[in-house]
Amino acid sequence: MAHLGAVSLLVRDYDEAISFFVGTLGFALSEDADMGGGKRWVRVTPKGGQTSLLLAKATTDEQRAAIGNQAGGRVWLFLETDDLTRDHATWAGAGVRFRETPRHETYGKVVVFEDLYGNAWDLIEPARTGD
């Protein structure tokens, strides 16, 4: 059975992106391989997740212009958690920028946050049956 293995994310610098995703959000550094010529194969994965972010260093003007705007200003990625309240408090304390306060929707608790470049993400605690 197929699954989505990775999604690329344009970054300014590999190490600053690793610091944010691993150090601030608690993702695991799944892979960091030197490919020569300043290029690296860097994957970070939410703990317990299957799909990774492939951190892709922007090398052209067009790519650099897209950093922080990978979805044209819309929410781009949807990160599920088992405890939104915990993660919101931890990440807010670590300086993560939230665009709103947590809210309840039919599908669960949700709050929009930004990665270090300004891309919008939904942090979602899915509704449990009976909630």
Side-chain angles (χ1 to χ4, degrees):
M1 181 172 191
H3 73 273
L4 189 60
V7 175
S8 65
L9 174 69
L10 289 167
V11 301
R12 276 190 306 257
D13 178 81
Y14 293 114
D15 293 321
E16 75 177 0
I18 291 169
S19 178
F20 178 79
F21 287 103
V22 175
T24 302
L25 298 187
F27 286 26
L29 180 60
S30 303
E31 203 169 354
D32 186 355
D34 187 339
M35 298 178 67
K39 188 174 181 179
R40 289 161 57 184
W41 182 263
V42 179
R43 291 184 318 112
V44 294
T45 309
K47 291 195 176 165
Q50 278 190 326
T51 305
S52 299
L53 286 178
L54 175 66
L55 304 180
K57 185 175 178 182
T59 58
T60 67
D61 289 341
E62 182 179 15
Q63 291 171 2
R64 284 186 284 276
I67 294 172
N69 193 28
Q70 294 223 177
R74 292 186 56 106
V75 169
W76 179 53
L77 294 171
F78 302 81
L79 183 62
E80 292 188 0
T81 180
D82 62 348
D83 190 337
L84 185 136
T85 302
R86 174 200 64 215
D87 293 341
H88 178 262
T90 300
W91 295 355
V96 173
R97 183 170 181 268
F98 287 87
R99 294 185 176 181
E100 62 184 5
T101 57
R103 58 190 157 80
H104 291 270
E105 298 292 346
T106 57
Y107 52 86
K109 296 179 195 171
V110 64
V111 64
V112 178
F113 74 96
E114 294 181 1
D115 65 24
L116 75 163
Y117 300 113
N119 292 299
W121 295 55
D122 268 1
L123 178 64
I124 300 170
E125 181 181 333
R128 292 180 286 277
T129 305
D131 281 358

